[in-house]
Amino acid sequence: MALKARVLYDFHSENPGEISIREHELVTLFTEEELEGWLEGENSRGETGLFPASYVEIIREHISTNNNSFSLPIAKSLSPTQSQRGFGAGSGGGSFHTSQGSDDDWDDDWDDSSQASDAPQGLGSAPPLYPVTTSLPGRCGNAQQHQQQAKSSGTVGRNLNRFSTFVKSGGEAFLLGEASACVRDKDRICVVMGKHGPEWQEDLHPFMCTIDDPTKQTKFKGMKSYMSYGLTPTHTNVQVNRRYKHFDWLYARLVERFPVISVPHLPEKQATGRFEEDFISKRRKGLIWWMNHMTSHPVLARCDVFQHFLTCGANEKAWKQGKRKAERDELVGANFFLTISTPAVPLDLQEVESKVEGFKTFTKRMDENIVVMNTTINEFARKQMAGFKKEYQKVGQSFKLLSQAFEMDQQAYSVGLNKAITYTGEAYEAIGEYFAEQPRQDLDPISDLLDLYRGHLANFPDIIHVQKGALTKVKDCPKQEGELHKRCNIISCATLAEIQHFHRTRVRDFRSQMQHHLRQQIGFFQKITAKLEDALQRYDDDQ
Amino acid sequence: MALKARVLYDFHSENPGEISIREHELVTLFTEEELEGWLEGENSRGETGLFPASYVEIIREHISTNNNSFSLPIAKSLSPTQSQRGFGAGSGGGSFHTSQGSDDDWDDDWDDSSQASDAPQGLGSAPPLYPVTTSLPGRCGNAQQHQQQAKSSGTVGRNLNRFSTFVKSGGEAFLLGEASACVRDKDRICVVMGKHGPEWQEDLHPFMCTIDDPTKQTKFKGMKSYMSYGLTPTHTNVQVNRRYKHFDWLYARLVERFPVISVPHLPEKQATGRFEEDFISKRRKGLIWWMNHMTSHPVLARCDVFQHFLTCGANEKAWKQGKRKAERDELVGANFFLTISTPAVPLDLQEVESKVEGFKTFTKRMDENIVVMNTTINEFARKQMAGFKKEYQKVGQSFKLLSQAFEMDQQAYSVGLNKAITYTGEAYEAIGEYFAEQPRQDLDPISDLLDLYRGHLANFPDIIHVQKGALTKVKDCPKQEGELHKRCNIISCATLAEIQHFHRTRVRDFRSQMQHHLRQQIGFFQKITAKLEDALQRYDDDQ
């Protein structure tokens, strides 16, 4: 039986070898295998050739289909049940709902009573021009998955499809002048010319937000339980309570809202093989990092949906109003670009291309090297917690054995020595413990930082693709230069501003983390030295 | 064919189950296996029973025999050729010559021209009443052999033969009044009553002796080469040159001269699998330890043969005179006890027995525990030189990888950070080197100390046996109480004085070695801290 696919969106062939396909049309696939995001097949008019894989949905029987080739790695990570429920509840537009996938160690209800009323007001009621993707590569911050992906591709540039992200993000629609929405002043996002090129206008009222230890909450008379985090933003100083699923919902909004902004990945949904307490502590640390990156991003920090998330109190009605408003936000995808104000002088597109190309090389290298670094650091932590500890404790025990033998010597004058040796043995045992405890202080934070940056690095190929797509379009249509150039300049300014923000944050984060690490290590070795000095003193006692 | 043995010395049965045997007699063995130093067999008069294994020589064809059961472990460590040469060159009296066994990395000539003239003046010309043993267990300071012995016996008390050592040392002969020699005043050794019991009278003119790095010497126009050590004792301040074989010769003299004194073992004859330079350095350190124990022993330090060794210059004739005098020394074995002056009040023999018993338990425990300690410490050194170094260097390299990636970021403002991270990487690599170099400073010396003490601990079972043998004899013959008691008191005083000296030296050595170790470790961790502080400063450069 020939493999069929249903066309989801019109596609007009632009190059030799491509074929045009129309929405609702059935096409025959020659093979299920994509070639850099393209499929080969025959349309209903008998033309054969290539078309974007993301524009069609392969028809399978009784198997949850995935209409977005790009989100496949994520869809695979969900169980069939989860995947089906995701699609069932959703609008059928894209794989968007995977970002609301269940969070197994929490209960998975989500505004249970309002589910029905929410449905017609979601994305489903207002079909987007292009499918919105929230399933960026590495979307699940799961470290193991990260590693698998890194293994199979060896690079962050997993999406080699020239157009799909450009199209899906709304970049193409915007460039072609198809975006249209009412942009209020308060929605306007300014790119200004800084010392190192375009940058996001700084937030005039920067704030931070603390995240308290989560508390266990129950509902339905204890039938269901979940963890609740207390968030206190500095600009309101009022605590609000949020669950992980709220973060997850917010993340999905941000991703559809800001096509060329690297939204920091949430910490992994579930850590396997860990005690719950460890997991909760790790997730909280991850959320703190996440929050830190959110509040320090000039665009993300001030956006409506994030402010609603940070400031809306226990009023259920107010929460739902804000939630619906965010879900109905018109300024998503293509329309996002309408909100951007650029510096007066347009950029030199060739220079932009070279900068973006340089950044691409940089991210590839950074990603490769932090993978190695993370492996090394985790291995080092493991060695300190096991091998180093064991070695120091064995030496300590052997000193204690020596003093135990010496205690049998019937020589009164050696009592002081025996005690000193026993103390030395205990000091070495303590030092063994110091080694075991240390990685938590100075290696785990580096590892957390690297995880967060792996997330950012996984976001950038898509961001770069939007910019590159725009640039290619401009080159391909020299006649429409004026408007196309202007819009391409907007996309380029936003992209470079985001790259600039990435570098700033990177330098800030790595400097402070390396300093933290070194200070911790210095304190650690000083603690050991003090312990040994203490032991040394015991030998003077009876001389 | 029944297994035969030739009787080397008369043995008079003293207890039921024992049989008497006579020199030159052939006895038939029921089994080759010894039972605590005894063999079972039939003598030429048809009597069957037990006799001391060390009194007979098992007859084998074409196999180098060993007439001293006690020295078996040592004899085994020599190749058949070495073993045969040892016996061939010797007087046939005992296994004494194994202590002059070849030292393979040196040439093995020994006063080549005088070998013939020496022979009739050695032990061979004046058959000793009892065979002198210098092949105490663990005589070869070889660590591996130590370990093997420790494994097979699990204790230092390898010699469970009630009498053999007592007899061989001359202790029995002395107790029975058979010792006789002219003792000059300067040969007299005083045991005085100290705070903690009998002790050797302190040396009124204590001295030390330095050992320089050995130099390579040649003779016979470069045909033969050997290493020569420059020794400079503080009481003459004149350097003399000695070879390892001279030390070895001296050691043999001391062992036959002082039956109840623990002569420190010489460092291992040959280390296998080591570079020559390492070996030479290790041997020198071993000789320094050895010298230190020699000069700090009140009796050994002032004895003639040691003084001859330390002070006789390049005058070949004077050297040989002193050498022959030492080899003809009458005050060896049984006669040694004639030189001892005891405190006026005789000891309570029951108290002595309890003290010696306590010391025996102590040495057993100390030996067991320092075996564990030595293994642990060597393993710890190995881990630091391999694993620890590797881990720190891998972390250093991963930091350098990070800065290499960062150097591709085109961001001028991150140059300072990149340099700081590179420097941190180098700091970690240096710390890896510190770890690899450290064991030589603070673990190797402990290991050397433990080796030296394992030697002493291996000496004590024999020393204790002499004292116990005397005590048993006194108990067995209550009628001869007077003289026997007096002589037993001399043996007991000497034994307790030696035990006391052991404890003093032990407390002194272990205290100073533990202090040295801790000071080194403190310095080591301070060096690491300084390196990290240096790295930390680099992050301030451009903030």
Side-chain angles (χ1 to χ4, degrees), chain A residues 35-55:
Chain A
L35 184 70
E36 299 191 348
W38 296 76
L39 282 169
E40 196 172 8
E42 188 179 333
N43 64 16
S44 56
R45 291 173 305 285
E47 297 166 339
T48 61
L50 299 165
F51 46 85
S54 53
Y55 278 45

Side-chain angles (χ1 to χ4, degrees), chain B residues 46-337:
Chain B
E47 298 167 338
T48 62
L50 299 166
F51 46 84
S54 53
Y55 278 46
V56 303
E57 180 187 24
I58 297 173
I59 297 165
R60 295 177 215 273
E61 275 186 39
H62 305 300
I63 295 169
S64 162
T65 58
N66 190 313
N67 63 348
N68 186 330
S69 67
F70 195 53
S71 67
L72 200 60
I74 305 310
K76 272 183 183 158
S77 73
L78 297 168
S79 72
T81 323
Q82 288 173 317
S83 188
Q84 272 163 2
R85 187 186 48 209
F87 281 101
S91 62
S95 65
F96 163 67
H97 283 269
T98 56
S99 69
Q100 287 186 7
S102 85
D103 183 20
D104 285 344
D105 63 330
W106 273 216
D107 66 332
D108 59 4
D109 66 297
W110 168 252
D111 288 356
D112 315 68
S113 56
S114 65
Q115 194 115 35
S117 61
D118 270 4
Q121 292 144 355
L123 281 173
S125 62
L129 283 173
Y130 298 97
V132 171
T133 178
T134 65
S135 53
L136 300 177
R139 162 65 190 77
C140 288
N142 188 297
Q144 203 182 346
Q145 203 177 58
H146 265 317
Q147 229 159 22
Q148 280 173 352
Q149 288 174 352
K151 251 184 211 162
S152 60
S153 69
T155 158
V156 288
R158 275 174 292 273
N159 180 9
L160 300 171
N161 181 330
R162 276 197 303 153
F163 294 115
S164 60
T165 307
F166 178 42
V167 171
K168 285 183 292 173
S169 67
E172 189 190 43
F174 169 71
L175 198 78
L176 299 176
E178 289 166 13
S180 113
C182 164
V183 177
R184 293 160 302 175
D185 259 6
K186 74 180 215 33
D187 293 324
R188 202 151 292 283
I189 296 164
C190 285
V191 175
V192 296
M193 191 51 72
K195 197 175 161 194
H196 305 282
E199 56 189 42
W200 301 118
Q201 188 167 46
E202 263 187 57
D203 194 347
L204 294 175
H205 308 289
F207 64 96
M208 289 182 296
C209 178
T210 59
I211 301 183
D212 291 339
D213 271 328
T215 53
K216 200 169 182 176
Q217 307 286 332
T218 57
K219 58 184 196 175
F220 301 136
K221 293 175 183 164
M223 293 281 284
K224 289 206 170 190
S225 63
Y226 57 91
M227 303 302 280
S228 176
Y229 297 84
L231 314 186
T232 313
T234 54
H235 62 327
T236 63
N237 211 22
V238 175
Q239 181 174 313
V240 297
N241 293 307
R242 296 288 176 256
R243 294 169 59 184
Y244 183 81
K245 64 157 74 170
H246 298 136
F247 284 89
D248 204 32
W249 171 83
L250 170 64
Y251 176 82
R253 297 288 79 68
L254 296 168
V255 166
E256 63 177 348
R257 178 73 173 79
F258 300 110
V260 293
I261 287 178
S262 174
V263 180
H265 290 192
L266 285 169
E268 53 190 311
K269 287 204 167 183
Q270 189 173 10
T272 53
R274 295 215 167 197
F275 295 111
E276 204 175 324
E277 206 171 316
D278 264 7
F279 170 61
I280 290 168
S281 148
K282 195 173 164 58
R283 171 174 276 183
R284 180 173 159 258
K285 281 195 292 170
L287 289 176
I288 290 171
W289 272 114
W290 182 86
M291 184 58 83
N292 176 269
H293 269 225
M294 284 297 297
T295 57
S296 67
H297 194 293
V299 178
L300 296 177
R302 50 169 276 216
C303 82
D304 285 349
V305 63
F306 184 47
Q307 288 298 330
H308 174 62
F309 173 86
L310 288 180
T311 57
C312 184
N315 182 336
E316 188 73 9
K317 202 175 161 194
W319 170 254
K320 278 190 189 159
Q321 263 183 347
K323 181 172 177 287
R324 281 171 202 158
K325 189 174 153 234
E327 283 163 358
R328 280 192 222 127
D329 191 350
E330 273 199 316
L331 300 175
V332 300
N335 292 347
F336 158 75
F337 295 105

Side-chain angles (χ1 to χ4, degrees), chain A residues 93-253:
Chain A
S95 65
F96 163 65
H97 284 271
T98 57
S99 69
Q100 288 188 7
S102 87
D103 183 21
D104 286 344
D105 64 330
W106 273 216
D107 66 335
D108 59 3
D109 67 297
W110 169 253
D111 288 356
D112 315 68
S113 56
S114 64
Q115 195 114 32
S117 60
D118 270 3
Q121 292 143 355
L123 281 173
S125 63
L129 283 173
Y130 298 99
V132 172
T133 178
T134 64
S135 54
L136 299 179
R139 161 64 190 78
C140 287
N142 188 297
Q144 204 182 346
Q145 205 175 60
H146 264 314
Q147 229 158 22
Q148 280 175 351
Q149 288 173 354
K151 251 184 211 159
S152 60
S153 69
T155 157
V156 288
R158 274 173 293 273
N159 181 10
L160 300 171
N161 182 329
R162 275 197 303 155
F163 294 116
S164 60
T165 307
F166 177 44
V167 172
K168 284 182 291 174
S169 67
E172 188 189 44
F174 169 70
L175 199 78
L176 299 176
E178 290 166 12
S180 110
C182 164
V183 178
R184 293 158 302 172
D185 259 5
K186 75 179 212 37
D187 292 324
R188 202 150 293 283
I189 296 165
C190 285
V191 175
V192 296
M193 191 51 73
K195 198 174 160 192
H196 306 281
E199 56 189 42
W200 300 118
Q201 188 166 47
E202 262 186 59
D203 195 345
L204 293 174
H205 308 288
F207 64 95
M208 289 182 296
C209 178
T210 58
I211 301 184
D212 292 339
D213 271 327
T215 52
K216 199 169 181 175
Q217 307 286 331
T218 56
K219 59 184 197 174
F220 301 136
K221 292 175 183 166
M223 292 281 284
K224 290 204 169 191
S225 64
Y226 57 91
M227 303 302 279
S228 176
Y229 297 84
L231 313 186
T232 314
T234 54
H235 62 327
T236 62
N237 212 19
V238 175
Q239 180 175 313
V240 297
N241 294 306
R242 295 289 176 258
R243 295 169 58 182
Y244 183 82
K245 65 157 74 174
H246 297 135
F247 283 89
D248 203 32
W249 170 84
L250 170 63
Y251 176 83
R253 297 287 80 67

Side-chain angles (χ1 to χ4, degrees), chain A residues 196 365 369 383 391 401 406 408-409 411 413 428 500 503 506 511 514 517 521 539 542-543, chain B residues 196 365 369 383 391 401 406 408-409 413 428 500 503 506 511 514 517 521 539 542-543:
Chain A
H196 306 281
R365 183 69 168 272
N369 290 7
K383 286 269 167 64
E391 288 306 318
L401 271 183
F406 281 6
M408 298 173 72
D409 68 357
Q411 302 301 313
Y413 58 84
Y428 269 84
Q500 185 55 35
H503 281 312
R506 171 182 65 83
R511 167 175 283 119
M514 288 302 288
H517 173 78
Q521 281 276 296
Y539 291 85
D542 64 335
Q543 264 194 322
Chain B
H196 305 282
R365 184 69 168 273
N369 291 6
K383 285 268 168 68
E391 288 306 318
L401 270 183
F406 281 6
M408 300 174 69
D409 67 358
Y413 58 85
Y428 270 84
Q500 185 56 34
H503 281 311
R506 172 181 66 82
R511 168 176 283 118
M514 290 301 289
H517 173 78
Q521 280 277 296
Y539 290 84
D542 65 336
Q543 265 195 323

Side-chain angles (χ1 to χ4, degrees), chain B residues 274-433:
Chain B
R274 295 215 167 197
F275 295 111
E276 204 175 324
E277 206 171 316
D278 264 7
F279 170 61
I280 290 168
S281 148
K282 195 173 164 58
R283 171 174 276 183
R284 180 173 159 258
K285 281 195 292 170
L287 289 176
I288 290 171
W289 272 114
W290 182 86
M291 184 58 83
N292 176 269
H293 269 225
M294 284 297 297
T295 57
S296 67
H297 194 293
V299 178
L300 296 177
R302 50 169 276 216
C303 82
D304 285 349
V305 63
F306 184 47
Q307 288 298 330
H308 174 62
F309 173 86
L310 288 180
T311 57
C312 184
N315 182 336
E316 188 73 9
K317 202 175 161 194
W319 170 254
K320 278 190 189 159
Q321 263 183 347
K323 181 172 177 287
R324 281 171 202 158
K325 189 174 153 234
E327 283 163 358
R328 280 192 222 127
D329 191 350
E330 273 199 316
L331 300 175
V332 300
N335 292 347
F336 158 75
F337 295 105
L338 298 173
T339 66
I340 293 180
S341 306
T342 62
V345 182
L347 302 172
D348 176 325
L349 289 188
Q350 207 158 2
E351 207 179 296
V352 173
E353 191 173 11
S354 141
K355 273 192 177 182
V356 170
E357 198 53 48
F359 183 68
K360 193 177 154 188
T361 312
F362 164 76
T363 52
K364 188 169 174 299
R365 184 69 168 273
M366 177 169 169
D367 187 67
E368 282 167 7
N369 291 6
I370 68 178
V371 167
V372 175
M373 189 168 164
N374 215 359
T375 308
T376 305
I377 275 178
N378 286 325
E379 182 62 16
F380 188 47
R382 207 184 58 75
K383 285 268 168 68
Q384 286 190 56
M385 291 162 80
F388 282 47
K389 173 184 170 183
K390 209 177 85 192
E391 288 306 318
Y392 278 93
Q393 295 202 327
K394 270 163 65 183
V395 171
Q397 280 151 18
S398 84
F399 283 150
K400 280 164 88 178
L401 270 183
L402 183 70
S403 68
Q404 278 162 27
F406 281 6
E407 277 159 20
M408 300 174 69
D409 67 358
Q410 308 170 304
Q411 303 300 312
Y413 58 85
S414 84
V415 171
L417 173 67
N418 302 350
K419 280 188 187 162
I421 296 177
T422 303
Y423 190 86
T424 308
E426 287 164 357
Y428 270 84
E429 287 179 333
I431 291 169
E433 283 300 333

